[in-house]
Amino acid sequence: MNRPGSDPVILARDLLRCPSVTPAEGGALAYLETVLKGAGFTVHRMTFSEPGAADVENLYARIGTTAPHLMFAGHTDVVPSGDPKSWSHAPFAGDVADGVLFGRGAVDMKGAIACKVAAALDYLAANGGKPKGSISFLITGDEEGIAVNGTIKLLKWAAERGEKFDHCILGEPGNVDILGDTIKLGRRGSQNGVLVISGKQGHVAYPHRADNPVRGLVKLMTALMDEPLDKGSDHFDPSNLEFTSIDIGNPTVNLIPGEARARFNIRFNDCHNYASLKALVEKRAAAAAGDKVRWRIDWEPSNADVFYTKPSAFTEAVVSTIAEVTGRKPKLSSSGGTSDARFIKDYCPVVEFGLVGQTMHAIDEQVPVADLTQLTAVYRRILDKYFG
Ligand SMILES: [Zn+2]
């Protein structure tokens, strides 16, 4: 193995060459283990299991024994490349061309992990090999999958051995157009449900003998789509209920179906918790149904609650550092999908700042070398301020 030192481009390139499509480790965690051990970190590798899911490997590394403790979190697993022939550079080659590094995971999020490692190694080299506190890496291989054998278990494992975290930076690619334009301080919650209308099956020519559930379905769907769930809050856009599928599954033309279903997803803000959200939706469905429509909602279990990280000296330091290094004042965002921050927020305040998300999960996922250099500089300066 070559010696990557604290060069984020070499670290990122080497990580991109590991084919770590979820749930495969692909050599990515082994690589990080070698690099971090070489810099004096104590490294743990854990494999977590869950019935019905593939085993997944994870890594936890720490240097230092005292507070304050800054955790760098992330994932080395990636989504599949799609057809490799559609790529201008092979998805797991780690090619650099015209100042751009190509590969699956370049921005989501091996690139950001490389920048964090580079920043940490450079900080340690400049400070006699020891932080004035603790730095840790909490890296999972189960973020892009169903996320049951990753960060959620890794955090529990760490808490059980007495690890205490003061702050976390997660490296998801939340910048929209250019590095430094966005930092994520919160995420909306996500809740799935199925609206089920019961009717009575019968011959389509004798509707008076049947009870068509489609009428009730349309009525309740309309009611649930008509009125917004709220007007938004200080930190979030309005919550949104979106129907994703209508399922009747009737293969014949002369039969009134006995049941009709519609699946939906709600992205909700901090005006709600799980219980109040479900109560609100059911109240609206009940009002629309009156005593004519027989209905129920089957709610799926969710582990994606809404959260917002309160502004603090730490968030202030991250924001000001981004401005100093990139020249841009980042927008404080809580939009988009969910992330592992939803698990981390139960252990310490978490902010999300990584690369630009434009090519994540896309063909020709790529990152400018200049972005890797600049993001490393952001993390490096955060370390100076954090332990200064
Ligand atoms: Zn990601």
Side-chain angles (χ1 to χ4, degrees):
M1 178 174 299
N2 49 32
R3 295 204 154 270
S6 50
D7 183 338
V9 182
I10 293 175
L11 288 160
R13 181 203 68 190
D14 290 352
L15 285 171
L16 289 180
R17 289 178 177 169
C18 303
S20 51
V21 177
T22 329
E25 184 268 337
L29 295 178
Y31 177 77
L32 286 179
E33 179 178 9
T34 305
V35 171
L36 292 170
K37 268 188 178 158
F41 281 79
T42 303
V43 181
H44 304 267
R45 298 270 303 275
M46 282 81 54
T47 301
F48 295 128
S49 306
E50 185 82 20
D55 289 0
V56 182
E57 292 187 47
N58 297 270
L59 177 148
Y60 177 70
R62 175 172 177 169
I63 189 165
T65 52
T66 57
H69 184 174
L70 180 63
M71 180 220 301
F72 284 126
H75 62 89
T76 49
D77 62 323
V78 294
V79 297
S81 64
D83 182 3
K85 291 195 210 74
S86 306
W87 288 63
S88 62
H89 297 266
F92 296 102
D95 286 350
V96 179
D98 296 329
V100 176
L101 174 64
F102 289 83
R104 172 58 79 229
V107 294
D108 188 10
M109 55 169 282
K110 289 173 171 176
I113 291 177
C115 296
K116 288 171 169 180
V117 172
L121 266 53
D122 191 61
Y123 168 85
L124 291 170
N127 288 274
K130 287 251 182 300
K132 297 189 187 82
S134 300
I135 304 171
S136 62
F137 284 85
L138 190 125
I139 308 291
T140 181
D142 191 19
E143 199 275 341
E144 301 288 9
I146 52 174
V148 294
N149 286 322
T151 299
I152 190 167
K153 287 196 174 128
L154 205 45
L155 287 162
K156 198 161 167 278
W157 172 90
E160 278 163 7
R161 26 176 293 131
E163 299 290 320
K164 288 207 170 30
F165 305 106
D166 293 303
H167 300 92
C168 171
I169 302 175
L170 178 64
E172 290 294 349
N175 290 289
V176 181
D177 294 312
I178 189 163
L179 195 77
D181 67 12
T182 307
I183 174 172
K184 282 204 198 295
L185 290 182
R187 295 277 188 165
R188 292 179 298 178
S190 175
Q191 173 69 58
N192 289 308
V194 185
L195 173 64
V196 185
I197 311 292
S198 302
K200 187 179 170 211
Q201 187 179 312
H203 196 299
V204 76
Y206 302 90
H208 52 286
R209 290 183 192 155
D211 172 17
N212 193 340
V214 173
R215 275 194 192 83
L217 188 74
V218 169
K219 198 170 176 188
L220 266 63
M221 283 181 68
T222 305
L224 294 180
M225 286 187 285
D226 261 357
E227 207 184 327
L229 292 163
D230 53 67
K231 295 192 175 74
S233 68
D234 284 353
H235 302 301
F236 288 89
D237 292 334
S239 304
N240 182 54
L241 184 153
E242 205 64 34
F243 281 98
T244 53
S245 182
I246 297 175
D247 306 294
I248 297 172
N250 183 358
T252 63
V253 294
N254 58 0
L255 185 97
I256 291 172
E259 190 179 87
R261 295 165 167 258
R263 283 198 285 131
F264 61 88
N265 174 267
I266 303 173
R267 294 297 160 120
F268 63 95
N269 62 30
D270 54 356
C271 298
H272 310 271
N273 58 42
Y274 287 125
S276 71
L277 180 73
K278 290 174 187 175
L280 174 64
V281 172
E282 291 184 356
K283 190 175 140 210
R284 289 186 181 178
D291 49 14
K292 290 219 175 59
V293 182
R294 284 182 294 146
W295 67 279
R296 69 170 196 273
I297 292 173
D298 294 341
W299 296 102
E300 286 175 16
S302 167
N303 62 8
D305 203 358
V306 58
F307 75 93
Y308 194 83
T309 301
K310 286 188 203 71
S312 65
F314 173 67
T315 60
E316 204 37 57
V318 175
V319 169
S320 64
T321 304
I322 294 166
E324 287 156 22
V325 175
T326 68
R328 279 171 282 278
K329 194 167 189 308
K331 178 174 177 264
L332 310 183
S333 164
S334 58
S335 65
T338 188
S339 75
D340 275 355
R342 72 189 191 271
F343 305 128
I344 299 167
K345 63 106 171 46
D346 294 335
Y347 295 83
C348 67
V350 52
V351 304
E352 297 182 60
F353 187 71
L355 291 160
V356 179
Q358 269 170 6
T359 61
M360 60 180 171
H361 296 206
I363 298 288
D364 276 345
E365 184 173 346
Q366 58 189 272
V367 59
V369 165
D371 280 14
L372 293 172
T373 307
Q374 205 168 47
L375 182 59
T376 304
V378 170
Y379 292 146
R380 177 68 180 82
R381 194 179 285 213
I382 288 171
L383 285 168
D384 267 344
K385 285 189 186 177
Y386 196 78
F387 296 113

